[in-house]
Amino acid sequence: MSMRKTAAAATVVLALAVTATACGGDSGTAGDKPKGGDVKSGTYKVAKGVKLDSPTLKKAQQRGKLIIGAKADQPYLGFVDTEGKRSGFDIEIAKMVAADLGFSEKQIEFKTVDSNVRETSISKGQVDYYVGTYTINDERKKQVGFAGPYYEAGADLLVRKDEKGITGPDSVKGKKVCSIVGSTPLQEIKKSKYGAKTTELGKYSLCVKQLLDGQVDAVTTDDAILKGYAAQRPSKLKVVGKPFTKEPYGVGMDKGDKALRDAITDALEKHIKNGDYKKAYDGTLGKSGSSYVAPKTPLPRY
Ligand code: GLU
């Protein structure tokens, strides 16, 4: 890849956010109204007697629970509130897939895994699968397997409400733009054509804090994530609204476990068709101002 050409004067603050279990401190910036949306628990019918030639599933069945990697600081997508409750669209996707694999919500252990450690966490078997704004791309496919896409986002910019100068990716020259280590929007904004000065952190909530504090001029990542932050603080933040990449979201899993990949693809297709997907979307991400687009089925298989 030719994205090694970094913009001048990149401020690299590697706050390497290592896998952490959910706790209050993980959940966004101080003063947030914790919101992830709501979908009634028990919405997805739990399958019985699931048999699959999947090493990952067999291990999960033996231990009696599924371990699912997710985000903790993305309002309406993957969020943990001050009481430790997880919510958001990705959390719902994780639950509907789990139900088809024979696991109820009570049999799920969510583990917070930030962007920079996703591939390691999946390939080391620390999570059975991962649902967290995870863009499917060829580079990542060398290390992990993907089912989906179940949603398509695009990189955009979050700025302070009174910002006039930043109107799109073509106006960030010389500006301080914060993004996340291990994310595709960071790789994109580092391309020399944009001329941005990047600040690279381990968690989106840390970038948002820097934006609110005036330490950076913008945050870049997927519009779906940024809209969640803007919805939390509408008087302080706004999304520019000019997406400049395509970020198709997939469920990540062990690269070699084809049986699991097929089963998760089946599950996604089923819930898209039976209306669960739309219900989950309306109850979560839809509340942050993202507009609904039904994913195309059949989903790709490989
Ligand atoms: N979808 C992008 C990615 O997978 C950005 C969001 C994230 O870091 O999870 O890199």
Side-chain angles (χ1 to χ4, degrees):
M1 268 201 205
S2 65
M3 32 196 77
R4 289 282 121 193
K5 276 184 224 148
T6 52
T11 317
V12 182
V13 188
L14 278 174
L16 286 176
V18 180
T19 307
T21 35
C23 62
D26 243 356
S27 47
T29 52
D32 284 347
K33 280 186 260 146
K35 281 190 228 159
D38 44 12
V39 176
K40 249 202 358 252
S41 68
T43 296
Y44 317 113
K45 199 163 170 276
V46 180
K48 288 207 173 76
V50 178
K51 280 205 182 77
L52 214 59
D53 193 18
S54 153
T56 313
L57 189 74
K58 283 180 185 158
K59 247 196 287 163
Q61 286 170 333
Q62 270 160 19
R63 79 165 93 84
K65 66 176 181 193
L66 264 181
I67 303 174
I68 306 178
K71 291 276 170 56
D73 66 344
Q74 297 175 344
Y76 304 98
L77 278 159
F79 196 81
V80 181
D81 68 18
T82 41
E83 274 130 49
K85 190 176 177 297
R86 295 223 178 223
S87 59
F89 184 56
D90 278 336
I91 301 302
E92 294 305 317
I93 295 286
K95 286 179 187 170
M96 56 182 88
V97 167
D100 283 31
L101 297 176
F103 292 82
S104 70
E105 287 172 30
K106 288 200 178 81
Q107 294 168 301
I108 299 174
E109 179 186 318
F110 281 104
K111 204 169 177 173
T112 302
V113 178
D114 288 312
S115 301
N116 58 326
V117 285
R118 283 184 288 212
E119 288 80 26
T120 328
S121 173
I122 294 167
S123 50
K124 283 192 173 161
Q126 291 164 352
V127 296
D128 296 324
Y129 57 90
Y130 182 89
V131 195
T133 62
Y134 199 11
T135 295
I136 304 170
N137 65 29
D138 290 343
E139 197 55 35
R140 290 175 177 166
K141 273 190 184 167
K142 290 178 192 158
Q143 296 180 66
V144 300
F146 281 109
Y150 64 86
Y151 183 79
E152 189 172 282
D156 208 324
L157 293 155
L158 181 74
V159 292
R160 287 181 293 273
K161 197 70 187 254
D162 56 3
E163 174 67 49
K164 301 239 159 45
I166 301 176
T167 52
D170 47 355
S171 54
V172 294
K173 210 176 213 90
K175 303 280 186 191
K176 289 185 196 146
V177 182
C178 191
S179 200
I180 296 306
V181 188
S183 75
T184 44
L186 174 64
Q187 288 184 335
E188 179 66 23
I189 207 70
K190 281 171 87 162
K191 288 180 182 168
S192 54
K193 66 174 178 182
Y194 298 112
K197 295 179 190 157
T198 56
T199 296
E200 308 178 15
L201 302 178
K203 277 182 189 290
Y204 287 105
S205 44
L206 298 175
C207 278
V208 175
K209 190 167 185 316
Q210 291 220 353
L211 180 63
L212 288 165
D213 293 349
Q215 289 163 275
V216 297
D217 303 304
V219 177
T220 186
T221 188
D222 304 341
D223 49 3
I225 303 172
L226 298 177
K227 281 177 188 168
Y229 288 119
Q232 273 198 320
R233 293 172 179 265
S235 62
K236 297 223 165 98
L237 300 171
K238 65 181 179 190
V239 179
V240 164
K242 286 205 194 109
F244 52 98
T245 63
K246 282 193 164 54
E247 308 289 338
Y249 289 174
V251 176
M253 73 211 75
D254 183 74
K255 186 175 180 255
D257 200 336
K258 184 173 174 349
L260 183 66
R261 194 166 77 226
D262 284 342
I264 294 182
T265 308
D266 288 344
L268 290 172
E269 285 178 348
K270 183 185 117 186
H271 291 283
I272 290 167
K273 285 189 194 137
N274 76 4
D276 287 342
Y277 175 95
K278 171 89 167 55
K279 210 190 280 174
Y281 184 89
D282 289 345
T284 57
L285 197 52
K287 294 186 172 172
S288 73
S290 285
S291 45
Y292 180 77
V293 182
K296 283 190 206 100
T297 52
L299 297 172
R301 302 203 180 226
Y302 66 99

